[in-house]
Amino acid sequence: MINQYQRVVVLNLLAKHKRQEQMLTDKMNQLFNRFQNERVTKFHYDFHSETKGDKFEHLDDLLHVLKDSLLNTFGYWIENKIIDGFDLQKGVYRTNCLDCLDRTNVTQAKIAILILTDMLRLIFDHIKQKGTPSNPYSVNNEI
């Protein structure tokens, strides 16, 4: 992953108070300490503790940190052309979880919505500046 993308962010969503999950976190931390790489960043976010009672809006705190520190440097891949100064995608998020279902899906969906919102804003600004494409179904070809 590091060779293909310049940055990798690992989101550890395991619980801090559950023995099995803490054991996995400890092992992962040992690996990170052993193979330190400045292009890999890890965040530990105790998903169940932070979103207890279906308060998934608390994920916004994590997204705020991710956006401010890393998301803005990742860029986007846009088919055919790169929009005004944007480079190829330079980073990925990798989610670490025990069951890889709800926690991973909710977190990755929130990240995807955040990125998609930024991409759509960028495309909208581009269209606003350059006008509507002659064929609205081929926006990719004109961007």
Side-chain angles (χ1 to χ4, degrees):
M1 255 193 261
I2 295 171
N3 292 334
Q4 186 170 0
Y5 302 100
Q6 296 174 12
R7 298 288 308 250
V8 176
V9 174
V10 177
L11 300 173
N12 181 6
L13 304 177
L14 296 170
K16 293 179 180 178
H17 63 278
K18 292 183 179 177
R19 186 175 166 271
Q20 282 183 312
E21 294 189 22
Q22 186 57 52
M23 285 173 46
L24 289 172
T25 294
D26 291 343
K27 290 294 181 188
M28 187 174 79
N29 286 336
Q30 287 174 7
L31 285 173
F32 270 97
N33 293 335
R34 188 172 173 196
F35 301 106
Q36 289 182 351
N37 188 313
E38 61 195 26
R39 296 187 302 170
V40 178
T41 306
K42 67 178 169 116
F43 288 94
H44 190 181
Y45 185 81
D46 185 337
F47 184 91
H48 285 310
S49 174
E50 297 290 336
T51 62
K52 192 172 191 165
D54 290 337
K55 297 199 183 298
F56 299 118
E57 66 274 9
H58 290 174
L59 271 170
D60 293 341
D61 295 336
L62 173 66
L63 295 179
H64 181 72
V65 169
L66 294 176
K67 182 171 183 170
D68 285 347
S69 63
L70 298 164
L71 182 62
N72 292 328
T73 64
F74 277 16
Y76 315 117
W77 170 253
I78 297 177
E79 189 176 336
N80 294 333
K81 285 190 180 180
I82 299 167
I83 296 179
D84 299 333
F86 277 82
D87 216 341
L88 295 177
Q89 181 178 339
K90 297 179 194 166
V92 292
Y93 288 95
R94 196 247 182 249
T95 307
N96 182 49
C97 194
L98 183 65
D99 51 23
C100 294
L101 295 172
D102 296 340
R103 291 181 267 190
T104 298
N105 290 340
V106 170
T107 304
Q108 289 287 346
K110 290 281 241 176
I111 291 169
I113 290 167
L114 181 68
I115 293 170
L116 180 61
T117 301
D118 280 353
M119 289 177 76
L120 291 174
R121 185 177 302 116
L122 180 68
I123 291 169
F124 176 75
D125 289 346
H126 179 81
I127 290 172
K128 215 163 74 169
Q129 289 175 3
K130 307 232 176 179
T132 306
S134 57
N135 179 355
Y137 298 105
S138 67
V139 144
N140 267 346
N141 294 329
E142 296 191 26
I143 290 178

